[in-house]
Amino acid sequence: MFSMIDTDNSGQITLEELKKGLERVGANLKESELLWLMEAVDVGNSGTIDYGEFIAAMLHLNKIQKEDCLYAAFTYFDQDGSGYITKEELQQACEKYGILDGNIDDIIREVDKDNDGRINYSEFTTMMQETDFGKIGLPKA
């Protein structure tokens, strides 16, 4: 992607190259948005984006996207918006999609690190990131 945007192969992406590269992929940003993006990514204040800055920005965007997906999945299960996934909410979601055959109590007990009988967002993200639960094909929120 960097090479596609860096049309003069200088190893640096200029503001004009960034604008044209984004237009090629269908992103039409206002001039102010483009300037903001350039300033945010150009941490060295050189007026251009080098490969390292580009990679750092892409990794940051990837992390944000993953966090957004985790939050969307959590809110899917947290049907009442309480900030917790209860046994009943988990049971309903699992029955609706047939994704678990196991004992809901065992799942709650394993994931619920503070032993309050429900799963908070922190416990949910830990479960999704550190176990195979995140690989079982949960429904898209």
Side-chain angles (χ1 to χ4, degrees):
M1 186 183 281
F2 183 87
S3 297
M4 185 265 304
I5 297 172
D6 181 23
T7 55
D8 67 358
N9 297 314
S10 66
Q12 306 285 322
I13 296 174
T14 65
L15 181 62
E16 189 61 29
E17 286 174 323
L18 180 62
K19 180 179 179 180
K20 288 179 181 177
L22 290 171
E23 287 172 354
R24 277 196 299 273
V25 296
N28 294 312
L29 299 178
K30 296 176 191 171
E31 190 71 25
S32 61
E33 294 170 324
L34 195 59
L35 289 170
W36 178 86
L37 178 61
M38 186 74 169
E39 286 179 18
V41 177
D42 178 22
V43 293
N45 295 319
S46 63
T48 60
I49 300 170
D50 65 31
Y51 187 69
E53 292 167 331
F54 183 81
I55 294 298
M58 294 299 105
L59 290 172
H60 180 70
L61 289 174
N62 188 29
K63 181 178 185 229
I64 289 171
Q65 185 179 29
K66 285 181 180 178
E67 289 170 359
D68 287 347
C69 289
L70 280 173
Y71 184 73
F74 179 80
T75 57
Y76 172 81
F77 288 104
D78 178 21
Q79 292 293 307
D80 64 3
S82 66
Y84 298 94
I85 299 170
T86 64
K87 175 184 173 181
E88 294 77 20
E89 289 170 327
L90 185 58
Q91 182 76 43
Q92 289 171 2
C94 292
E95 287 173 358
K96 182 176 181 179
Y97 289 95
I99 57 174
L100 293 176
D101 296 326
N103 187 337
I104 299 296
D105 290 324
D106 290 342
I107 294 169
I108 296 283
R109 197 171 17 262
E110 182 177 338
V111 177
D112 177 26
K113 300 302 180 193
D114 63 6
N115 297 314
D116 64 356
R118 53 197 182 168
I119 301 170
N120 64 35
Y121 183 69
S122 176
E123 293 164 339
F124 180 81
T125 58
T126 299
M127 172 196 68
M128 295 297 283
Q129 293 170 343
E130 294 180 358
T131 69
D132 288 335
F133 282 111
K135 300 173 187 165
I136 63 173
L138 294 173
K140 295 195 185 331

